[in-house]
Amino acid sequence: MNQRFQNAEIRRVSEQYAENELYRAVSTIGQQLESETEFGLCSEECFMEALGLLSEIADKGEEYLSEIDNYWLHKFNEYRRFDRHLKEEEIRKAVGIVFAFVILALDSSRHPFYRYTLTRRLTQIVASHQFKDWTSTFDRIFSVPLSDGWFDSFIDEESEDCEGRLPLPKVLNTDRAQTYFRNAIDKGYMKLENGQFSWIGIGGKGTNSQLAYFCGRVFEYRHSTTCNIGTEFPEEELNALFGVKRLYSLLTQVHNAQKTQKWRRSIDEMFE
């Protein structure tokens, strides 16, 4: 069985969202659903995927209705690239499960558009790409209801929390990180899509090394021949946030290189 989320990512999500009602709902039957698929969609990844779509819906409202087909196709292609040996039905099931939890959340809304119009459209898309026994899978997911008005509260929280702030985990969520992560996104060096951060890069080789150096500047890493003499570098949280490995090792390699990398100047300019 495949699994894209690593242990650090699973732990981060489980700790950060332990009190989130939707996360608890996903966790209730997530392991059972994961055991029934070859894709390996763990509870934490499923929750983050659903949360990303819900955030977009909360942000765009009724305008998002025209974008749902594109979201399905985007997710299907993303999952297929992850493992091209899987049958298409398995990939449809993974996307369908994410959609089911989104529908579960929307069904808690008191707003007719979310509760009826949007949930009906989402269900129609799943039905048009149906996988074996999809209705029984949906029934099991819907057997774990959310509190009445949960999605409406989620929208209110998004409005309060997302006034220009990026969805960073608690350990990384500093004003300095908010400022420079946003700067990197504006410059096209970084991307935030469906709740997932990724480093696009400045060009040339060593994309992950660029990310490591950038994060070192953000969290005020200062290199010496013996160790970091600045603030503690939050490697584990950053690895999980960007879906990479060994950022601290890459960071030290950047500083220990005999010749300064050309791309470092572009990153340094962001902090001047």
Side-chain angles (χ1 to χ4, degrees):
M1 179 184 296
N2 295 296
Q3 182 170 294
R4 299 196 305 174
F5 263 37
Q6 303 300 312
N7 291 335
E9 295 172 289
I10 291 173
R11 184 168 60 254
R12 174 178 65 83
V13 172
S14 64
E15 291 175 354
Q16 182 178 351
Y17 295 98
E19 301 303 317
N20 185 289
E21 190 175 351
L22 178 61
Y23 173 67
R24 294 201 301 265
V26 175
S27 299
T28 299
I29 58 175
Q31 288 187 345
Q32 180 184 356
L33 293 174
E34 182 183 3
S35 68
E36 297 174 2
T37 65
E38 295 181 30
F39 185 76
L41 187 70
C42 70
S43 299
E44 286 71 23
E45 180 181 6
C46 182
F47 166 73
M48 292 304 294
E49 294 279 71
L51 197 67
L53 178 53
L54 289 170
S55 295
E56 290 193 41
I57 291 171
D59 180 53
K60 298 183 179 180
E62 297 189 17
E63 294 180 5
Y64 200 74
L65 190 63
S66 61
E67 300 183 24
I68 297 175
D69 288 285
N70 291 334
Y71 181 84
W72 174 281
L73 182 62
H74 170 77
K75 276 297 156 193
F76 179 85
N77 288 335
E78 177 186 321
Y79 287 1
R80 183 169 55 182
R81 286 194 297 270
F82 174 65
D83 190 340
R84 294 185 178 276
H85 299 293
L86 281 178
K87 296 180 181 178
E88 287 195 0
E89 181 174 329
E90 285 292 322
I91 302 174
R92 290 197 301 270
K93 185 171 185 177
V95 182
I97 288 172
V98 172
F99 268 53
F101 280 109
V102 169
I103 294 170
L104 175 68
L106 295 174
D107 192 53
S108 71
S109 176
R110 300 186 183 98
H111 193 293
F113 168 74
Y114 297 117
R115 186 162 192 167
Y116 301 111
T117 305
L118 195 53
T119 56
R120 183 168 57 248
R121 182 69 188 116
L122 286 165
T123 304
Q124 288 173 347
I125 292 175
V126 176
S128 66
H129 299 280
Q130 61 181 266
F131 51 88
K132 184 180 179 181
D133 299 327
W134 72 275
T135 54
S136 63
T137 299
F138 268 44
D139 287 343
R140 277 185 290 159
I141 291 174
F142 297 155
S143 70
V144 190
L146 299 180
S147 300
D148 185 40
W150 181 89
F151 182 68
D152 304 323
S153 298
F154 173 76
I155 291 178
D156 292 339
E157 291 173 4
E158 286 283 288
S159 299
E160 294 175 2
D161 296 341
C162 295
E163 294 180 355
R165 292 188 70 82
L166 300 170
L168 296 174
K170 185 176 181 179
V171 173
L172 305 178
N173 195 14
T174 65
D175 289 340
R176 183 178 174 86
Q178 288 284 340
T179 297
Y180 289 110
F181 274 47
R182 175 63 67 186
N183 193 359
I185 290 173
D186 291 342
K187 287 182 174 293
Y189 299 162
M190 185 187 297
K191 181 172 68 172
L192 172 61
E193 186 176 52
N194 299 324
Q196 178 64 54
F197 287 87
S198 57
W199 182 259
I200 306 303
I202 297 168
K205 299 179 180 180
T207 301
N208 286 348
S209 295
Q210 295 174 17
L211 171 61
Y213 182 74
F214 168 77
C215 291
R217 291 300 309 265
V218 171
F219 293 97
E220 300 181 283
Y221 174 93
R222 288 181 292 146
H223 191 68
S224 74
T225 57
T226 55
C227 63
N228 170 29
I229 57 175
T231 57
E232 182 177 355
F233 185 71
E235 181 189 26
E236 185 173 310
E237 291 81 5
L238 288 167
N239 284 342
L241 186 69
F242 289 95
V244 298
K245 298 179 180 179
R246 300 173 58 250
L247 276 181
Y248 185 77
S249 175
L250 291 170
L251 178 58
T252 57
Q253 289 176 29
V254 169
H255 283 282
N256 290 329
Q258 293 182 354
K259 184 177 180 181
T260 300
Q261 300 85 352
K262 293 181 179 179
W263 48 258
R264 280 179 57 169
R265 181 57 189 163
S266 297
I267 293 177
D268 289 338
E269 288 175 350
M270 298 171 61
F271 298 86
E272 294 177 351

